[in-house]
Amino acid sequence: IKQNRGSSGEGIWIVKLKSGEYCKEYGEASCEDGDMLALMEANDNHAEEHTVAEFIEFCVSGRTDKSGEWTSKGVGKYLEGGKEA
């Protein structure tokens, strides 16, 4: 995922399923809110683990009770401002 502004690497996340169990055919399965993700942020290559629900909450709304604890220096809210940003 890449945020809709800037190019410093903040908000660019490499996202993998922690389990490493992927479907054989694209679209064969979907992630559930509770599935664990292994995340790496491109600006400093630090790693974090969060559920799908926590990651989406962080990307959309930033640091909230629903997004869990983040060690990222970023504040999330990557979609803030829409196309105009």
Side-chain angles (χ1 to χ4, degrees):
I1 186 166
K2 165 128 180 22
Q3 69 178 345
N4 192 25
R5 60 184 184 275
S7 61
S8 67
E10 179 188 332
I12 300 173
W13 290 94
I14 299 163
V15 181
K16 297 179 181 181
L17 287 172
K18 183 179 178 184
S19 69
E21 297 175 16
Y22 296 95
C23 51
K24 293 178 184 173
E25 301 282 333
Y26 178 77
E28 181 179 79
S30 296
C31 292
E32 301 292 329
D33 283 349
D35 290 345
M36 289 301 296
L37 302 174
L39 308 162
M40 181 178 292
E41 191 170 21
N43 69 328
D44 61 4
N45 292 326
H46 87 279
E48 302 207 25
E49 291 183 358
H50 290 278
T51 65
V52 169
E54 289 172 337
F55 182 59
I56 291 171
E57 176 71 9
F58 182 73
C59 291
V60 173
S61 301
R63 296 175 191 271
T64 69
D65 290 341
K66 291 182 181 179
S67 68
E69 295 290 322
W70 287 78
T71 59
S72 173
K73 295 177 185 171
V75 297
K77 299 181 184 182
Y78 302 130
L79 307 176
E80 191 171 63
K83 291 191 305 186
E84 293 75 25

